[in-house]
Amino acid sequence: MQALHDMDVSTSQAITTICPFCGVGCGMTLQVQQSGAGTRLSGIAPQLNHPISRGQLCAKGWSTPFAIDAADRIKTPLRRTPGGFQPISWAEALKSIGESIRTILEEDGPQALGVISSARATNEDNYAAQKFARAVLRTNNVDHCARICHSPTVAGLKQTLGSGAMTNSASDIEQTDLIVVFGADPTENHSILGGHILRAREQGTRLIVVDPRKTRLARIADLHLQLRPGSNIALVNALLAEIFANNWQADQFLDARCEGLDALRKSVARTDADAGAEVTGVAPELVRSAAREYSQAKKAMILYGMGVTQYVSGTNNVIALSNLALACGQIGRPGTGVNPLRGQNNVQGACDMGCLPNVYPGYQAVAEEEIRNKFARAWQVSVAEHAGLTSLGMTLATLEDKFRGLILFGEDPVVTDPDQTRERRALDKLDLLVVAELTMTETAKQADFVLPAASFAEKDGTFTNCERRVQRVRKALPPPGEARADWQWLGDIARELGSDALDWESAEEIFDELAALTPIYSGMTYAGLDREHGLQWPCNKEAPQGTAILHSDRFPIGRARLIPVHHVEIDEPADDEFPLVLTTNRLHFHYGCGSMSRKSPLLERETPDGILFINSFDAHNLSLSQHSPVKVSSRRGFIETRAIISDEVPAGLVTMPYHFREAPSNRLTNNAMDPVTKMPELKACAVRVEPLPADAQPRTMDEILADEAREVAGD
Amino acid sequence: MTDYLIDSPITLAKHIGQSRDLWQLKENDSGERGWQLSAPEIFSALRSPDAMESAKQFFFAPRENIFQFDGNQFRESLPAPEPFALVGVSSCDLTAIAYQDHFFRDDPHYQARRQQALLVGYECLSPCAKGFCPSVDAGPGAREGSADLVLHQLQEDQWLLRVLTDTGARALEGLVLEKAGDAAQTQRHNQIEACIEAFPDDSHIHAGIEAINSNSVAQETWDAAGIQCLSCSGCTTLCPTCSCYGTSDHTTGDTMIRERFWDSCLYDGFQREASQNNPAGAAGDRVRRFWYHKFSREFFQASDNPGPADRYGCVGCGRCEVTCPGVIGVHSMMKKITE
């Protein structure tokens, strides 16, 4: 990147598009210039007239030019050989991949194949991915990383409200009287929304933070309910018990719009703030204050994140929050609602597009024959009758020799999924692993074929942000080398397999096809999205301008359901052998597996010297000082890093961000799963922290694995 | 120097466009404003503080390669742009360029670009949304020497064209123009006075500057602001006077390339030492440092180095107020200081 006019510039252009990082979906403008040397990015600016971000970006957004820099990119297809990856032509890659898929199909059928799509890719790419699985491979084995972020939201809210997405909009933060941030760290992970909360707080909006960690927002909150990890349901039930005991519930709303009140009342009558405190560790008077404030506020909104979903009780945690909002009538109006903060730029869209093993685009169930027939007719193929495997299901099936071929793009499960040792073993065992990526990742290193993917700046399409706003992503640059958009190379493989199901000329043509099959998107076109700065689903004949607030008049399931749920212990509490609980968090400066954010030298410089955050009390007991080298072990493995002593975490709890391949927290995390959604319990597992010699240099994961391999060889 | 009357900025643009690429502020299809290569037949009439980006990127590149080393030889990579003109730079951004010119006076990369530029100012007749240029001596009238030429609208079809430098005078050679009389100068003076009058109350800015200079801001105020600083780098990126940069080296094969890029003093890593010691390890201290650099008179360089840096490091464009997610941009911060 150079200054605006450094080369012999023939034309310049400013392309307004959507930030490729989190689910807030901020607007940014890419400045590009054309010259004899080609088209180049010369700068970025925040989009001033964007409905949410209004001229702002976070540290990740500002670093975008580094994230997609052509210098680091994979530019041709690569084939694994004993001597390392070798560049090959697209024709060779497609032919070999096609042969391998055909062999697996002939020997074991479609159930042995699957697709993991990407919450970073566009709706068009994701629609293509699930259509490839369903109409070309003929399997519902399609999933993506929502499995490990908000699958409990989709499952939980679908049951209670009828729709598994943010009920309200980002702008409601400015209209509400009380914000409850529950198990989320928005100033770090959804920074521009976090900033809206800071602004609202300054203007007098009340703020309650529920989090085991003393987050940035907890420091300025009116109330901080610092609960023990995994006690969400106990806390919410205690809140409900206090609300019912004091008759603070919204009777009219409950009468008119909900069902199941008696059972819920009866269920929570067994607890109260005092009883709850024994499980949650939160002082009863704080719980009573929070119960009063939330139920009595004219408008109160819940924003929640991974601290709710990433538990074996994930789905029930979501149901508990839904119970709370319904009991107080804090839903269906401006400034209210149950609002999951979606992690990735297009995780909402990847779910909407049906990159889930049990639903087609628009959450239309695979289990319903009518729906299967609808898609079979539209796609002119026969489709599989049964729901497919989740991503973790594919891992387990691989280890049981029932699954052989995986096509994956824009995800790095080796770093981001639980129990890294098992994940690596499963990927190793596959007969075919195809990974499409921007740059080399830990997962791509295990692939048979690596395909060069186009970044968000190099293709047209749409992203759907966490408030259900479908926004245009516009091509500003040519892809480097031979990189192609995901829908394009998926189409190439389909054609190799003799299918014309993915024969599209443009992203817009895909959007028109998916809008026709997805009722919640049916009123959308590219022209409409351009005109309105995006549209929020449902957008259809009844709501041509989209829908800012869900459930205003009715729930999609008629009456909302109150469903009693009960406290479930975390799967692996601390014990004598592993005396500390490890939770995971994210840093403002990094994103996911770090494959994009860590390309910025500025963000990389913000990475702390060590990534085990530990309370001063525990540090003292372990004779650790700031930056002491440590070994952190769980039942599944160990990592080495340095200790950062921080009173953000309470005694007994340690935390690690998961972005760093050198010290992957997922070497340690537990793979125990939520029974409904197979969400792993990433937010709590038992660990042991041991000091390494004071002058020791913590080994990276690669060094540890190499040392272990040497030891095995030495035996 | 002689000032002239001209019927339209387009007449001027057509003339200078014969020998230079023209850049103007334009609106794209999404309504976003930024600098674009432009045909001379259009005058956008957009004011530069209404665009997120200032003109600093033209001279101090967001990212650029400084040199490469192939194992034997160092090769510098100096830019060599063709002559170009920025048409329509507001006074605040012109003042910022003058400030940067001083800071980068010995920087060959900056100067290689700057020497090729013709700056055509455009004086605002009404305040912009967040601006306060009069309070920091940066506008709305263009400061002496800060542009080569300055446009000031008098009537629908009559503009005052001021010539501030020899480069500006040379750029007009071959263009036949009527000399401006006293009436035009008086009208300009009155219009600028009226514009200054129209600015909203900004006593919080004055009070904030005085509080900073008398060292009377409570540490708690900075610490509270530190909690709200997300270290996004938006303020320093958009600030037209911020000039800090970092470098990193990339090696491919036998060649090492050193790149430099805009840095931000709000990052924890900005001043962290190799030992992990950090003189500005607390976010509140970094916020304080940022505002001291903008508003402390200790940073005036008048005594030993008179010139364009003899002024505040803030030109009153207000971009930081818009782009700060933490509500600690200039207006918000100065109000917090003086509350």
PDB file of all heavy atoms in Angstrom, chain B residues 2-32:
ATOM      1  N   THR B   2      -0.561  39.362  -5.623  1.00  0.00           N
ATOM      2  CA  THR B   2      -1.826  39.846  -6.160  1.00  0.00           C
ATOM      3  C   THR B   2      -2.916  38.805  -5.993  1.00  0.00           C
ATOM      4  O   THR B   2      -2.684  37.620  -6.227  1.00  0.00           O
ATOM      5  CB  THR B   2      -1.671  40.135  -7.678  1.00  0.00           C
ATOM      6  OG1 THR B   2      -0.428  40.793  -7.870  1.00  0.00           O
ATOM      7  CG2 THR B   2      -2.812  40.986  -8.182  1.00  0.00           C
ATOM      8  N   ASP B   3      -4.083  39.250  -5.607  1.00  0.00           N
ATOM      9  CA  ASP B   3      -5.244  38.369  -5.589  1.00  0.00           C
ATOM     10  C   ASP B   3      -6.126  38.681  -6.796  1.00  0.00           C
ATOM     11  O   ASP B   3      -6.091  39.791  -7.336  1.00  0.00           O
ATOM     12  CB  ASP B   3      -6.045  38.574  -4.299  1.00  0.00           C
ATOM     13  CG  ASP B   3      -5.264  38.084  -3.087  1.00  0.00           C
ATOM     14  OD1 ASP B   3      -4.203  37.449  -3.294  1.00  0.00           O
ATOM     15  OD2 ASP B   3      -5.703  38.335  -1.957  1.00  0.00           O
ATOM     16  N   TYR B   4      -6.918  37.705  -7.185  1.00  0.00           N
ATOM     17  CA  TYR B   4      -7.714  37.855  -8.410  1.00  0.00           C
ATOM     18  C   TYR B   4      -9.179  37.538  -8.162  1.00  0.00           C
ATOM     19  O   TYR B   4      -9.546  36.955  -7.141  1.00  0.00           O
ATOM     20  CB  TYR B   4      -7.191  36.920  -9.505  1.00  0.00           C
ATOM     21  CG  TYR B   4      -5.758  37.182  -9.897  1.00  0.00           C
ATOM     22  CD1 TYR B   4      -4.730  36.427  -9.332  1.00  0.00           C
ATOM     23  CD2 TYR B   4      -5.447  38.183 -10.815  1.00  0.00           C
ATOM     24  CE1 TYR B   4      -3.404  36.671  -9.679  1.00  0.00           C
ATOM     25  CE2 TYR B   4      -4.127  38.424 -11.168  1.00  0.00           C
ATOM     26  CZ  TYR B   4      -3.114  37.665 -10.595  1.00  0.00           C
ATOM     27  OH  TYR B   4      -1.817  37.914 -10.936  1.00  0.00           O
ATOM     28  N   LEU B   5      -9.980  37.886  -9.166  1.00  0.00           N
ATOM     29  CA  LEU B   5     -11.372  37.439  -9.193  1.00  0.00           C
ATOM     30  C   LEU B   5     -11.490  36.367 -10.263  1.00  0.00           C
ATOM     31  O   LEU B   5     -10.847  36.459 -11.310  1.00  0.00           O
ATOM     32  CB  LEU B   5     -12.316  38.598  -9.518  1.00  0.00           C
ATOM     33  CG  LEU B   5     -12.370  39.709  -8.462  1.00  0.00           C
ATOM     34  CD1 LEU B   5     -13.226  40.868  -8.961  1.00  0.00           C
ATOM     35  CD2 LEU B   5     -12.907  39.167  -7.124  1.00  0.00           C
ATOM     36  N   ILE B   6     -12.296  35.352 -10.009  1.00  0.00           N
ATOM     37  CA  ILE B   6     -12.467  34.284 -11.006  1.00  0.00           C
ATOM     38  C   ILE B   6     -13.928  33.860 -10.973  1.00  0.00           C
ATOM     39  O   ILE B   6     -14.576  33.913  -9.927  1.00  0.00           O
ATOM     40  CB  ILE B   6     -11.488  33.111 -10.704  1.00  0.00           C
ATOM     41  CG1 ILE B   6     -11.421  32.143 -11.881  1.00  0.00           C
ATOM     42  CG2 ILE B   6     -11.837  32.395  -9.412  1.00  0.00           C
ATOM     43  CD1 ILE B   6     -10.240  31.168 -11.785  1.00  0.00           C
ATOM     44  N   ASP B   7     -14.440  33.474 -12.153  1.00  0.00           N
ATOM     45  CA  ASP B   7     -15.890  33.211 -12.227  1.00  0.00           C
ATOM     46  C   ASP B   7     -16.268  31.893 -11.579  1.00  0.00           C
ATOM     47  O   ASP B   7     -17.379  31.743 -11.065  1.00  0.00           O
ATOM     48  CB  ASP B   7     -16.350  33.236 -13.686  1.00  0.00           C
ATOM     49  CG  ASP B   7     -15.669  32.166 -14.531  1.00  0.00           C
ATOM     50  OD1 ASP B   7     -14.555  31.706 -14.134  1.00  0.00           O
ATOM     51  OD2 ASP B   7     -16.221  31.777 -15.567  1.00  0.00           O
ATOM     52  N   SER B   8     -15.335  30.925 -11.591  1.00  0.00           N
ATOM     53  CA  SER B   8     -15.698  29.604 -11.085  1.00  0.00           C
ATOM     54  C   SER B   8     -14.441  28.805 -10.760  1.00  0.00           C
ATOM     55  O   SER B   8     -13.421  28.951 -11.452  1.00  0.00           O
ATOM     56  CB  SER B   8     -16.512  28.851 -12.149  1.00  0.00           C
ATOM     57  OG  SER B   8     -16.461  27.467 -11.910  1.00  0.00           O
ATOM     58  N   PRO B   9     -14.494  27.971  -9.750  1.00  0.00           N
ATOM     59  CA  PRO B   9     -13.349  27.082  -9.476  1.00  0.00           C
ATOM     60  C   PRO B   9     -13.030  26.188 -10.663  1.00  0.00           C
ATOM     61  O   PRO B   9     -11.893  25.745 -10.824  1.00  0.00           O
ATOM     62  CB  PRO B   9     -13.822  26.243  -8.283  1.00  0.00           C
ATOM     63  CG  PRO B   9     -14.873  27.070  -7.621  1.00  0.00           C
ATOM     64  CD  PRO B   9     -15.557  27.812  -8.734  1.00  0.00           C
ATOM     65  N   ILE B  10     -14.031  25.963 -11.510  1.00  0.00           N
ATOM     66  CA  ILE B  10     -13.806  25.072 -12.656  1.00  0.00           C
ATOM     67  C   ILE B  10     -12.836  25.713 -13.646  1.00  0.00           C
ATOM     68  O   ILE B  10     -11.989  25.050 -14.239  1.00  0.00           O
ATOM     69  CB  ILE B  10     -15.152  24.705 -13.317  1.00  0.00           C
ATOM     70  CG1 ILE B  10     -15.953  23.843 -12.328  1.00  0.00           C
ATOM     71  CG2 ILE B  10     -14.946  23.980 -14.637  1.00  0.00           C
ATOM     72  CD1 ILE B  10     -17.378  23.572 -12.724  1.00  0.00           C
ATOM     73  N   THR B  11     -12.944  27.026 -13.793  1.00  0.00           N
ATOM     74  CA  THR B  11     -12.005  27.742 -14.668  1.00  0.00           C
ATOM     75  C   THR B  11     -10.570  27.511 -14.189  1.00  0.00           C
ATOM     76  O   THR B  11      -9.668  27.235 -14.970  1.00  0.00           O
ATOM     77  CB  THR B  11     -12.324  29.252 -14.656  1.00  0.00           C
ATOM     78  OG1 THR B  11     -13.706  29.415 -14.978  1.00  0.00           O
ATOM     79  CG2 THR B  11     -11.451  30.006 -15.627  1.00  0.00           C
ATOM     80  N   LEU B  12     -10.406  27.605 -12.875  1.00  0.00           N
ATOM     81  CA  LEU B  12      -9.079  27.372 -12.296  1.00  0.00           C
ATOM     82  C   LEU B  12      -8.644  25.919 -12.491  1.00  0.00           C
ATOM     83  O   LEU B  12      -7.513  25.641 -12.908  1.00  0.00           O
ATOM     84  CB  LEU B  12      -9.113  27.715 -10.799  1.00  0.00           C
ATOM     85  CG  LEU B  12      -7.833  27.404 -10.018  1.00  0.00           C
ATOM     86  CD1 LEU B  12      -6.691  28.304 -10.485  1.00  0.00           C
ATOM     87  CD2 LEU B  12      -8.061  27.557  -8.520  1.00  0.00           C
ATOM     88  N   ALA B  13      -9.573  25.008 -12.214  1.00  0.00           N
ATOM     89  CA  ALA B  13      -9.238  23.584 -12.303  1.00  0.00           C
ATOM     90  C   ALA B  13      -8.846  23.204 -13.722  1.00  0.00           C
ATOM     91  O   ALA B  13      -7.897  22.439 -13.934  1.00  0.00           O
ATOM     92  CB  ALA B  13     -10.419  22.751 -11.823  1.00  0.00           C
ATOM     93  N   LYS B  14      -9.558  23.749 -14.695  1.00  0.00           N
ATOM     94  CA  LYS B  14      -9.238  23.427 -16.095  1.00  0.00           C
ATOM     95  C   LYS B  14      -7.824  23.899 -16.438  1.00  0.00           C
ATOM     96  O   LYS B  14      -7.101  23.233 -17.165  1.00  0.00           O
ATOM     97  CB  LYS B  14     -10.245  24.093 -17.041  1.00  0.00           C
ATOM     98  CG  LYS B  14     -11.567  23.347 -17.126  1.00  0.00           C
ATOM     99  CD  LYS B  14     -12.490  24.051 -18.113  1.00  0.00           C
ATOM    100  CE  LYS B  14     -13.780  23.289 -18.291  1.00  0.00           C
ATOM    101  NZ  LYS B  14     -14.806  24.106 -18.950  1.00  0.00           N
ATOM    102  N   HIS B  15      -7.462  25.036 -15.859  1.00  0.00           N
ATOM    103  CA  HIS B  15      -6.126  25.565 -16.154  1.00  0.00           C
ATOM    104  C   HIS B  15      -5.041  24.703 -15.484  1.00  0.00           C
ATOM    105  O   HIS B  15      -4.119  24.241 -16.152  1.00  0.00           O
ATOM    106  CB  HIS B  15      -6.035  27.019 -15.679  1.00  0.00           C
ATOM    107  CG  HIS B  15      -4.689  27.628 -15.955  1.00  0.00           C
ATOM    108  ND1 HIS B  15      -4.281  27.949 -17.224  1.00  0.00           N
ATOM    109  CD2 HIS B  15      -3.668  27.921 -15.118  1.00  0.00           C
ATOM    110  CE1 HIS B  15      -3.053  28.430 -17.160  1.00  0.00           C
ATOM    111  NE2 HIS B  15      -2.655  28.425 -15.898  1.00  0.00           N
ATOM    112  N   ILE B  16      -5.175  24.481 -14.200  1.00  0.00           N
ATOM    113  CA  ILE B  16      -4.096  23.713 -13.552  1.00  0.00           C
ATOM    114  C   ILE B  16      -4.161  22.236 -13.920  1.00  0.00           C
ATOM    115  O   ILE B  16      -3.155  21.532 -13.862  1.00  0.00           O
ATOM    116  CB  ILE B  16      -4.068  23.911 -12.007  1.00  0.00           C
ATOM    117  CG1 ILE B  16      -5.401  23.541 -11.387  1.00  0.00           C
ATOM    118  CG2 ILE B  16      -3.683  25.316 -11.633  1.00  0.00           C
ATOM    119  CD1 ILE B  16      -5.432  23.792  -9.886  1.00  0.00           C
ATOM    120  N   GLY B  17      -5.320  21.777 -14.354  1.00  0.00           N
ATOM    121  CA  GLY B  17      -5.466  20.385 -14.772  1.00  0.00           C
ATOM    122  C   GLY B  17      -4.672  20.063 -16.034  1.00  0.00           C
ATOM    123  O   GLY B  17      -4.473  18.888 -16.361  1.00  0.00           O
ATOM    124  N   GLN B  18      -4.224  21.119 -16.750  1.00  0.00           N
ATOM    125  CA  GLN B  18      -3.414  20.860 -17.948  1.00  0.00           C
ATOM    126  C   GLN B  18      -2.054  20.280 -17.590  1.00  0.00           C
ATOM    127  O   GLN B  18      -1.440  19.579 -18.380  1.00  0.00           O
ATOM    128  CB  GLN B  18      -3.209  22.176 -18.724  1.00  0.00           C
ATOM    129  CG  GLN B  18      -4.488  22.700 -19.335  1.00  0.00           C
ATOM    130  CD  GLN B  18      -4.342  24.144 -19.803  1.00  0.00           C
ATOM    131  OE1 GLN B  18      -3.238  24.672 -19.904  1.00  0.00           O
ATOM    132  NE2 GLN B  18      -5.461  24.777 -20.094  1.00  0.00           N
ATOM    133  N   SER B  19      -1.573  20.598 -16.401  1.00  0.00           N
ATOM    134  CA  SER B  19      -0.222  20.138 -16.049  1.00  0.00           C
ATOM    135  C   SER B  19      -0.191  19.252 -14.805  1.00  0.00           C
ATOM    136  O   SER B  19       0.877  18.816 -14.394  1.00  0.00           O
ATOM    137  CB  SER B  19       0.682  21.361 -15.835  1.00  0.00           C
ATOM    138  OG  SER B  19       0.062  22.237 -14.909  1.00  0.00           O
ATOM    139  N   ARG B  20      -1.320  19.013 -14.196  1.00  0.00           N
ATOM    140  CA  ARG B  20      -1.323  18.225 -12.959  1.00  0.00           C
ATOM    141  C   ARG B  20      -2.556  17.328 -12.896  1.00  0.00           C
ATOM    142  O   ARG B  20      -3.607  17.686 -13.420  1.00  0.00           O
ATOM    143  CB  ARG B  20      -1.399  19.153 -11.730  1.00  0.00           C
ATOM    144  CG  ARG B  20      -0.188  20.001 -11.507  1.00  0.00           C
ATOM    145  CD  ARG B  20      -0.429  20.998 -10.379  1.00  0.00           C
ATOM    146  NE  ARG B  20       0.732  21.870 -10.200  1.00  0.00           N
ATOM    147  CZ  ARG B  20       1.753  21.576  -9.403  1.00  0.00           C
ATOM    148  NH1 ARG B  20       1.755  20.463  -8.694  1.00  0.00           N
ATOM    149  NH2 ARG B  20       2.774  22.392  -9.297  1.00  0.00           N
ATOM    150  N   ASP B  21      -2.410  16.195 -12.208  1.00  0.00           N
ATOM    151  CA  ASP B  21      -3.585  15.413 -11.827  1.00  0.00           C
ATOM    152  C   ASP B  21      -4.343  16.201 -10.778  1.00  0.00           C
ATOM    153  O   ASP B  21      -3.750  16.786  -9.874  1.00  0.00           O
ATOM    154  CB  ASP B  21      -3.159  14.076 -11.196  1.00  0.00           C
ATOM    155  CG  ASP B  21      -2.746  13.063 -12.245  1.00  0.00           C
ATOM    156  OD1 ASP B  21      -3.038  13.295 -13.430  1.00  0.00           O
ATOM    157  OD2 ASP B  21      -2.128  12.048 -11.861  1.00  0.00           O
ATOM    158  N   LEU B  22      -5.659  16.181 -10.874  1.00  0.00           N
ATOM    159  CA  LEU B  22      -6.482  16.903  -9.902  1.00  0.00           C
ATOM    160  C   LEU B  22      -7.160  15.926  -8.958  1.00  0.00           C
ATOM    161  O   LEU B  22      -7.731  14.923  -9.401  1.00  0.00           O
ATOM    162  CB  LEU B  22      -7.577  17.712 -10.618  1.00  0.00           C
ATOM    163  CG  LEU B  22      -7.127  18.814 -11.559  1.00  0.00           C
ATOM    164  CD1 LEU B  22      -8.359  19.496 -12.156  1.00  0.00           C
ATOM    165  CD2 LEU B  22      -6.272  19.837 -10.822  1.00  0.00           C
ATOM    166  N   TRP B  23      -7.101  16.233  -7.688  1.00  0.00           N
ATOM    167  CA  TRP B  23      -7.824  15.438  -6.689  1.00  0.00           C
ATOM    168  C   TRP B  23      -8.810  16.340  -5.980  1.00  0.00           C
ATOM    169  O   TRP B  23      -8.468  17.446  -5.581  1.00  0.00           O
ATOM    170  CB  TRP B  23      -6.845  14.834  -5.671  1.00  0.00           C
ATOM    171  CG  TRP B  23      -5.947  13.787  -6.262  1.00  0.00           C
ATOM    172  CD1 TRP B  23      -4.835  14.007  -7.014  1.00  0.00           C
ATOM    173  CD2 TRP B  23      -6.093  12.362  -6.169  1.00  0.00           C
ATOM    174  NE1 TRP B  23      -4.266  12.808  -7.401  1.00  0.00           N
ATOM    175  CE2 TRP B  23      -5.023  11.785  -6.889  1.00  0.00           C
ATOM    176  CE3 TRP B  23      -7.016  11.516  -5.556  1.00  0.00           C
ATOM    177  CZ2 TRP B  23      -4.852  10.405  -7.004  1.00  0.00           C
ATOM    178  CZ3 TRP B  23      -6.844  10.150  -5.658  1.00  0.00           C
ATOM    179  CH2 TRP B  23      -5.779   9.600  -6.381  1.00  0.00           C
ATOM    180  N   GLN B  24     -10.036  15.863  -5.858  1.00  0.00           N
ATOM    181  CA  GLN B  24     -11.066  16.625  -5.159  1.00  0.00           C
ATOM    182  C   GLN B  24     -11.846  15.694  -4.257  1.00  0.00           C
ATOM    183  O   GLN B  24     -11.839  14.477  -4.436  1.00  0.00           O
ATOM    184  CB  GLN B  24     -12.058  17.225  -6.163  1.00  0.00           C
ATOM    185  CG  GLN B  24     -11.521  18.303  -7.035  1.00  0.00           C
ATOM    186  CD  GLN B  24     -12.667  19.063  -7.706  1.00  0.00           C
ATOM    187  OE1 GLN B  24     -13.451  19.736  -7.058  1.00  0.00           O
ATOM    188  NE2 GLN B  24     -12.757  18.931  -9.016  1.00  0.00           N
ATOM    189  N   LEU B  25     -12.591  16.271  -3.334  1.00  0.00           N
ATOM    190  CA  LEU B  25     -13.499  15.455  -2.531  1.00  0.00           C
ATOM    191  C   LEU B  25     -14.721  15.134  -3.377  1.00  0.00           C
ATOM    192  O   LEU B  25     -15.275  16.003  -4.038  1.00  0.00           O
ATOM    193  CB  LEU B  25     -13.928  16.244  -1.287  1.00  0.00           C
ATOM    194  CG  LEU B  25     -12.833  16.365  -0.239  1.00  0.00           C
ATOM    195  CD1 LEU B  25     -13.186  17.444   0.762  1.00  0.00           C
ATOM    196  CD2 LEU B  25     -12.623  15.028   0.470  1.00  0.00           C
ATOM    197  N   LYS B  26     -15.092  13.848  -3.321  1.00  0.00           N
ATOM    198  CA  LYS B  26     -16.264  13.428  -4.095  1.00  0.00           C
ATOM    199  C   LYS B  26     -17.121  12.536  -3.226  1.00  0.00           C
ATOM    200  O   LYS B  26     -16.634  11.943  -2.263  1.00  0.00           O
ATOM    201  CB  LYS B  26     -15.807  12.597  -5.295  1.00  0.00           C
ATOM    202  CG  LYS B  26     -15.405  13.346  -6.511  1.00  0.00           C
ATOM    203  CD  LYS B  26     -15.418  12.330  -7.655  1.00  0.00           C
ATOM    204  CE  LYS B  26     -14.577  12.742  -8.818  1.00  0.00           C
ATOM    205  NZ  LYS B  26     -14.349  11.630  -9.737  1.00  0.00           N
ATOM    206  N   GLU B  27     -18.368  12.394  -3.617  1.00  0.00           N
ATOM    207  CA  GLU B  27     -19.265  11.456  -2.951  1.00  0.00           C
ATOM    208  C   GLU B  27     -19.399  10.221  -3.809  1.00  0.00           C
ATOM    209  O   GLU B  27     -19.615  10.337  -5.019  1.00  0.00           O
ATOM    210  CB  GLU B  27     -20.648  12.102  -2.778  1.00  0.00           C
ATOM    211  CG  GLU B  27     -21.016  12.278  -1.331  1.00  0.00           C
ATOM    212  CD  GLU B  27     -22.321  13.035  -1.144  1.00  0.00           C
ATOM    213  OE1 GLU B  27     -23.253  12.845  -1.952  1.00  0.00           O
ATOM    214  OE2 GLU B  27     -22.376  13.819  -0.196  1.00  0.00           O
ATOM    215  N   ASN B  28     -19.261   9.026  -3.214  1.00  0.00           N
ATOM    216  CA  ASN B  28     -19.449   7.819  -4.024  1.00  0.00           C
ATOM    217  C   ASN B  28     -20.922   7.416  -4.031  1.00  0.00           C
ATOM    218  O   ASN B  28     -21.774   8.126  -3.493  1.00  0.00           O
ATOM    219  CB  ASN B  28     -18.531   6.677  -3.540  1.00  0.00           C
ATOM    220  CG  ASN B  28     -18.975   6.054  -2.226  1.00  0.00           C
ATOM    221  OD1 ASN B  28     -20.006   6.422  -1.653  1.00  0.00           O
ATOM    222  ND2 ASN B  28     -18.198   5.115  -1.731  1.00  0.00           N
ATOM    223  N   ASP B  29     -21.241   6.273  -4.649  1.00  0.00           N
ATOM    224  CA  ASP B  29     -22.637   5.851  -4.790  1.00  0.00           C
ATOM    225  C   ASP B  29     -23.325   5.668  -3.446  1.00  0.00           C
ATOM    226  O   ASP B  29     -24.549   5.724  -3.354  1.00  0.00           O
ATOM    227  CB  ASP B  29     -22.720   4.522  -5.569  1.00  0.00           C
ATOM    228  CG  ASP B  29     -22.284   4.707  -7.007  1.00  0.00           C
ATOM    229  OD1 ASP B  29     -22.255   5.875  -7.447  1.00  0.00           O
ATOM    230  OD2 ASP B  29     -21.960   3.699  -7.661  1.00  0.00           O
ATOM    231  N   SER B  30     -22.531   5.390  -2.404  1.00  0.00           N
ATOM    232  CA  SER B  30     -23.116   5.190  -1.084  1.00  0.00           C
ATOM    233  C   SER B  30     -23.183   6.483  -0.278  1.00  0.00           C
ATOM    234  O   SER B  30     -23.516   6.468   0.897  1.00  0.00           O
ATOM    235  CB  SER B  30     -22.302   4.149  -0.305  1.00  0.00           C
ATOM    236  OG  SER B  30     -22.166   2.964  -1.050  1.00  0.00           O
ATOM    237  N   GLY B  31     -22.816   7.601  -0.914  1.00  0.00           N
ATOM    238  CA  GLY B  31     -22.887   8.879  -0.222  1.00  0.00           C
ATOM    239  C   GLY B  31     -21.683   9.168   0.664  1.00  0.00           C
ATOM    240  O   GLY B  31     -21.718  10.092   1.467  1.00  0.00           O
ATOM    241  N   GLU B  32     -20.604   8.371   0.529  1.00  0.00           N
ATOM    242  CA  GLU B  32     -19.403   8.585   1.351  1.00  0.00           C
ATOM    243  C   GLU B  32     -18.452   9.534   0.637  1.00  0.00           C
ATOM    244  O   GLU B  32     -18.252   9.442  -0.580  1.00  0.00           O
ATOM    245  CB  GLU B  32     -18.711   7.254   1.632  1.00  0.00           C
ATOM    246  CG  GLU B  32     -19.509   6.356   2.546  1.00  0.00           C
ATOM    247  CD  GLU B  32     -19.762   6.982   3.919  1.00  0.00           C
ATOM    248  OE1 GLU B  32     -18.788   7.380   4.579  1.00  0.00           O
ATOM    249  OE2 GLU B  32     -20.933   7.108   4.304  1.00  0.00           O
TER     250      GLU B  32
END
